[in-house]
Amino acid sequence: MYKYDHIDQTLVDQRVTQFRDQVERRLNGTLAEEEFRPLRLQNGLYHQRHAYMLRVAIPYGLLSAKQLRTLALIADKYDRGYGHFTTRQNIQFNWVELEQTPDILAELAKVEMHAIQTSGNCIRNITSDAFAGVAADEYIDPRPVCELLRQWSTLHPEFAHLPRKFKFAINGAKEDRTVLLCHDVGIELKKNIVGELTADIYAGGGMGRTPILGSLIKQDLPWQVLPSYLTALLRVYNRFGRRDNLYKARIKILVKALGPEEFARQVEGEWLHLHNAEKNSDANFTQAEWERVAQHFTKPAYQQLNALSNEDIHTAAPEDERAAFARWLERNVKPHQVPGYASVILSLKPHGTVAPGDATTAQMNAIADLADQYSFGELRVTHEQNLVLADVEQSKLLELWQAAKQQHVALPNIGLLTDIIACPGGDFCSLANAKSLPIAKAIQERFDDLDYLFDLGDISLNISGCINSCGHHHVGNIGVLGVDKDGEEWYQITLGGEQGNDASIGKVIGPSFYANEIPDVMTSLINTYVNQRATDEPFIETYRRLGVAPFKEAAYKNNGKHSKGALA
C-alpha cells in the first residue's frame, strides 16, 4: 500500500499544527463559531446532534493493521469504544471532544492518516473496489490511478470551494463494486486493443434529493491526461454549477440541465483550451509519476500453492461444523487472482446487536491481528460497510473462520437481507429526519433465521435517515428512507434499486409508514417475492418481471394504517 514521502508527512503534520491553533482560538473565544466552522469542516469535524463527529479518510478503502490499531486507540481513548465505517470507505467517531481533536489528528499523522477533505465543498475521499489488485475479474489494478488522483486533488486550490461536495469512484474490474454511476464522476479503467491503459468517464451521477445515474461523456481517455481532463470537467462545473440553491448545486443538476452531450461538449472545449494554454503538458501524469506510485502496489510474497475447491476446504472442518463453515465459504469468501488464495469479507452486520458498520475497539485490534496473521498486514473497507482480508491462503480459511467467530465478524450474511447498509441516522446526525439504526435492528431481528436468509438469496436492503441518502437507499433492492411529518418519524419504501453493472434507482411505492410497521412491511414484501418467484430467481429479477403492483398491494394490505408507534 502507498507509503507517505516527506511531502505527504510534512503536509499532514503542518495541518495538525494549524488546526491545533484554530481550536485553541475557538476555545478561548478569539475565533467565532461562524469563522471556525469552515476550518473544522476542512478537517472532517462536524457538530452533530449530541457531540462532535470526526470523519477520517481511508483512501480507496485501504488500511494497514497498524493504522487499524490506531483507529482502535482513538475509539478507546477519545470516543466511546467504537468506530463507524461508512459507505465512502471512511470511518467516523461520533463522540469526540473539540479540545481533543488536534490530538486525534496527531495520532493519525503518526500512521500516515488524516481527515483532510472528508467534508466541505471539495473533492472528497476517492473510493474504489475493495478487492482491487486481487479480484479474479479485474482488468487493471485501479489503486495507482486512485493514489495519483488523491495527490492531485488534495488541497487543490482551484477546487477548494466548489458549488457542492464532489465524489469520485474508480473501477478496474468486470463487475462494478464501486457504485460507479452514482458518483459525481465515475472512472472506468480498461485496456485498449493494443494494451494501453485508458478510461471511460461518467459524470452527473448521485443520490440524495434528486437521484440520477451518471452519463458517459468520454471514452478511451489515455490515463496520462486524466488530471487535465478532470480539471476541465471541474472548471465547467465550478463556472456553471448552481450556487444560489443548496439542493440544486450538485453536478448532476448541471448535467441534467445542459444534457450529457452539451456538458461533454463544454468539457471538451475547456480541455482543448487547457492543452493549448499548457503546451508543456505539466498538467498531466507522466510515466515516472506512475512508477513512483505503482511501486507501492506490487504483489505481496505469495507462496506457490495449489488451488483448492470449496469441497476440499470445508471437509477439513469438524463434521458438526461443516454445514456452517460451508455457508460462510459460500457467502463471505471470494475468488482470488492467485491460485491457493482467497479474499474474505468480515461481516460488521451482526443481527440486532450493533449498528451496521460499527466495530468496537476490541474488534478492531483483533481484526488487525488477523490481518497480520492471515493477510500480509493489510485489509480493506467496502462501501457496504464491511471489512476485507484480501490475501488469505485457502488452507487457512477454517482457522480464520474460527478466529473471526470469536470476534462476531463471521456471520455468513454477505449479500443477504440482513447485510444492511445504514447511515447513523437521527441517533447521531443533526441532518437526519428519522432514526435508521432501530429500523435496521428490528429487521435483522425479524429475519434472524440463516436458513431462511440463504433460501431468499441476494437481496440488498439500504436505509437512510434523510434525503441525503448516506445509506444509499436509492440503489437498494429495497430502500427505506426516514422522513419527517409534522415532527414525527415516518419511513418511505422504495423498490427496484440496484448497484453494480445494472445500476438502477428505486421507485417509491406509496405513502410512508410508521416505524413499528416496517418489520411487517418487510415481511409482506418478502412473502410476495417468495410466493411469486420463479426457480432460483433473485428478488430484483422477480420485481422487474412483476412490477411494483403485487408488492405494493401486499405492503399496504395489512399495514399503512398509520397506527402510531416508534421502535426503541
Side-chain angles (χ1 to χ4, degrees), residues 38 115 188 229-230 284 289 298 370 374 401 405 504 535:
E188 184 78 34
Y229 185 83
L230 294 174
N284 293 323
E289 280 291 278
T298 56
L370 295 180
Y374 296 104
W401 174 65
K405 283 196 297 179
S504 59
T535 304

Side-chain angles (χ1 to χ4, degrees), residues 62-326:
L62 192 59
L63 273 174
S64 70
K66 181 179 180 180
Q67 289 173 330
L68 185 58
R69 289 190 183 95
T70 294
L71 297 178
L73 180 150
I74 291 168
D76 186 53
K77 185 176 180 180
Y78 301 102
D79 203 280
R80 295 188 175 181
Y82 73 96
H84 176 74
F85 290 97
T86 77
T87 52
R88 289 205 59 71
Q89 298 178 309
N90 294 314
I91 188 170
Q92 295 179 178
F93 297 102
N94 291 311
W95 298 96
V96 299
E97 300 289 341
L98 175 59
E99 57 268 29
Q100 293 181 321
T101 52
D103 294 333
I104 298 174
L105 295 183
E107 296 282 6
L108 292 169
K110 293 176 186 176
V111 292
E112 303 180 5
M113 297 187 77
H114 61 77
I116 299 169
Q117 291 184 202
T118 59
S119 179
N121 295 334
C122 58
I123 299 171
R124 298 286 186 90
N125 186 42
I126 293 173
T127 61
S128 191
D129 184 1
F131 298 92
V134 299
D137 66 337
E138 187 172 79
Y139 301 131
I140 182 73
D141 184 348
R143 292 175 299 171
V145 173
C146 290
E147 178 56 30
L148 285 169
L149 289 178
R150 183 196 70 82
Q151 295 183 23
W152 165 79
S153 63
T154 299
L155 301 182
H156 195 306
E158 187 174 351
F159 307 128
H161 299 286
L162 294 167
R164 276 293 269 130
K165 57 187 176 181
F166 205 90
K167 300 177 180 179
F168 282 80
I170 303 176
N171 186 50
K174 180 178 180 180
E175 181 182 347
D176 173 23
R177 289 177 285 267
T178 69
V179 205
L180 195 77
L181 298 184
C182 289
H183 283 74
D184 298 284
V185 167
I187 300 174
E188 184 78 34
L189 298 175
K190 57 185 183 179
K191 289 190 175 180
N192 63 18
I193 195 168
V194 294
E196 298 167 329
L197 177 60
T198 64
D200 290 346
I201 309 296
Y202 295 83
M207 288 180 265
R209 190 173 297 271
T210 309
I212 300 174
L213 296 180
S215 299
L216 180 64
I217 63 164
K218 185 71 175 179
Q219 286 185 284
D220 302 320
L221 183 76
W223 72 271
Q224 297 94 332
V225 300
L226 274 168
S228 61
Y229 185 83
L230 294 174
T231 294
L233 185 153
L234 279 155
R235 284 183 177 178
V236 172
Y237 170 53
N238 216 1
R239 187 182 308 141
F240 299 114
R242 294 281 296 272
R243 294 178 185 269
D244 61 329
N245 188 324
L246 181 70
Y247 304 116
K248 296 183 179 181
R250 297 293 292 270
I251 191 175
K252 62 188 178 183
I253 303 300
L254 178 62
V255 174
K256 183 179 180 181
L258 293 176
E261 296 80 9
E262 174 60 18
F263 179 80
R265 188 190 69 79
Q266 294 207 24
V267 172
E268 196 76 15
E270 180 64 32
W271 188 43
L272 292 174
H273 170 75
L274 186 62
H275 270 291
N276 291 333
E278 300 183 15
K279 297 287 188 182
N280 58 9
S281 299
D282 284 347
N284 293 323
F285 294 140
T286 64
Q287 186 62 34
E289 280 291 278
W290 173 276
E291 291 170 1
R292 176 183 66 82
V293 168
Q295 66 176 320
H296 297 286
F297 301 104
T298 56
K299 301 294 185 184
Y302 294 123
Q303 296 187 51
Q304 294 287 332
L305 302 172
N306 293 321
L308 302 176
S309 68
N310 274 5
E311 181 66 24
D312 293 333
I313 297 166
H314 95 261
T315 53
E319 190 168 349
D320 62 341
E321 293 186 330
R322 284 182 187 173
F325 182 49

Side-chain angles (χ1 to χ4, degrees), residues 352-371:
T353 55
V354 299
D358 279 6
T360 66
T361 294
Q363 286 176 318
M364 284 190 270
N365 281 321
I367 291 169
D369 291 343
L370 295 180

Side-chain angles (χ1 to χ4, degrees), residues 424-437:
D427 284 305
F428 300 99
C429 182
S430 57
L431 299 177
N433 296 317
K435 295 179 180 179
S436 300
L437 306 184

